Amino acid sequence: MHYEIFLDLLFAENLLLNYTILRLSSFLLKRSATRRRSFAAAALGAGYAVLYAVLARYLPGALLALVGIGITTGMVKSGCRITTVRDLAVGMEGYILSGFLIGSAYRLFRELMPGRGILLFLLSGSAAYAGTLLLLKIRKEMLLEHARQVTVQLVQNGKWKKVKGLYDTGNTLRDATTKKPVSVVPYTVILELFPDEMRTGIAALARHETVPEPEQLLALQPRYIPFRGLEGGGFLPVIRISEMILVTEHTARHISGPLIALGGENSSSPRGYEIILHPDLMEGQEE
């Protein structure tokens, strides 16, 4: 059986695949390798692919395999800027995984766009690279979203309520006097923490109505703070409760006397979060 191999196309194909895999591996490993460095390492691997095609008939397969392992190892080490043996082992795993992902995507695009030629290869390879990066970006956003989620326990005079919270960088609310961060919760979520004689006053405060017995709320130190959002600005009623506990997978932070802004009945997040936390609480900068 006769095969005809175009060495220029073979070189270009391996160059693009190697470069794509190295860049993706660097991204996964969070390495600081430059594009030029990755390109040079990819060219080394592509050059070996051409030599393999030329010399495969004349040299033992075991020797070519050993040289190929050495070339690939050097390519990963240089192209991903790896300095330790441990990182090199992880880098090789990342290279194999990236190669599988991009190779599969490449074959899919070639099936969807039949034809030959370097232009088609460049288009399909670039599309596979862009698609893989898009998936990684989505995964990164999902992990970031997960990191911002927290279970919150609101405590008031021995009673407590567990709610689903989210650290929101868009929440810049602070008390004008103390400069402490303010979190936002629909007032209906926390009413059960208070005795019956206080619930009517809290609801009236949240709805900007006249509080019937304001002396009942003095222990909560009610006040108003200004806010501005996409739909305009105004003032939010704020109270101080006994304690708030922020619970993650590994930590539990106790915040004494947190400030809570009372939102409307329908002010919770559309994604089901019941309290929108100030981002400074995430880093322990509530003071």
Side-chain angles (χ1 to χ4, degrees):
M1 185 176 294
H2 175 74
Y3 292 97
E4 187 174 349
I5 299 176
F6 297 93
L7 295 181
D8 54 347
L9 183 59
L10 178 65
F11 179 84
E13 179 175 319
N14 280 271
L15 176 64
L16 180 57
L17 279 178
N18 288 340
Y19 177 78
T20 303
I21 294 171
L22 288 174
R23 294 307 299 169
L24 187 55
S25 299
S26 296
F27 179 81
L28 291 172
L29 297 171
K30 296 181 173 59
R31 309 303 300 183
S32 59
T34 63
R35 292 183 177 87
R36 182 179 299 178
R37 188 185 190 96
S38 297
F39 185 85
L44 174 65
Y48 172 74
V50 173
L51 288 177
Y52 182 91
V54 173
L55 301 177
R57 296 176 57 186
Y58 308 105
L59 295 178
L63 176 61
L64 291 173
L66 288 175
V67 174
I69 293 173
I71 291 292
T72 303
T73 303
M75 183 173 63
V76 173
K77 184 178 185 302
S78 176
C80 295
R81 200 169 186 176
I82 292 175
T83 56
T84 67
V85 175
R86 178 179 178 277
D87 285 347
L88 180 60
V90 176
M92 291 299 292
E93 293 178 3
Y95 179 86
I96 294 171
L97 175 61
S98 301
F100 173 77
L101 292 174
I102 292 183
S104 300
Y106 168 70
R107 284 189 290 271
L108 174 62
F109 278 107
R110 290 297 297 266
E111 290 293 329
L112 295 175
M113 297 182 296
R116 296 182 178 180
I118 187 63
L119 179 60
L120 176 60
F121 171 78
L122 291 173
L123 289 175
S124 60
S126 298
Y129 181 53
T132 306
L133 286 185
L134 177 61
L135 291 176
L136 287 173
K137 183 177 181 180
I138 293 174
R139 180 179 179 273
K140 183 180 179 180
E141 291 296 328
M142 292 175 63
L143 292 175
L144 180 61
E145 177 79 3
H146 178 72
R148 292 165 55 204
Q149 298 174 12
V150 62
T151 298
V152 182
Q153 295 181 9
L154 302 172
V155 184
Q156 178 65 21
N157 293 334
K159 292 185 177 181
W160 64 277
K161 181 178 177 63
K162 182 184 295 186
V163 296
K164 184 180 179 181
L166 177 72
Y167 293 108
D168 187 357
T169 55
N171 178 8
T172 59
L173 296 174
R174 286 186 177 275
D175 180 66
T177 303
T178 65
K179 306 302 180 183
K180 286 183 174 293
V182 178
S183 302
V184 184
V185 61
Y187 76 91
T188 53
V189 171
I190 62 171
L191 280 181
E192 62 187 73
L193 294 175
F194 303 94
D196 293 339
E197 61 270 18
M198 297 180 66
R199 294 179 184 180
T200 301
I202 291 174
L205 180 68
R207 295 195 294 259
H208 298 267
E209 299 173 354
T210 301
V211 179
E213 298 182 51
E215 64 276 4
Q216 296 279 358
L217 306 184
L218 290 180
L220 303 180
Q221 304 177 24
R223 79 287 304 269
Y224 286 92
I225 62 170
F227 80 94
R228 180 169 296 277
L230 296 176
E231 299 179 358
F235 292 88
L236 277 175
V238 174
I239 61 174
R240 183 188 296 272
I241 64 174
S242 300
E243 187 179 19
M244 181 165 64
I245 306 173
L246 308 178
V247 182
T248 63
E249 295 180 2
H250 307 291
T251 62
R253 294 192 57 245
H254 294 253
I255 300 175
S256 178
L259 297 178
I260 304 294
L262 302 176
E265 296 183 46
N266 301 316
S267 61
S268 59
S269 167
R271 290 173 290 181
Y273 300 109
E274 298 167 288
I275 182 170
I276 304 301
L277 298 163
H278 195 287
D280 281 1
L281 298 175
M282 187 178 187
E283 303 296 335
Q285 300 174 357
E286 65 269 20
E287 296 299 334

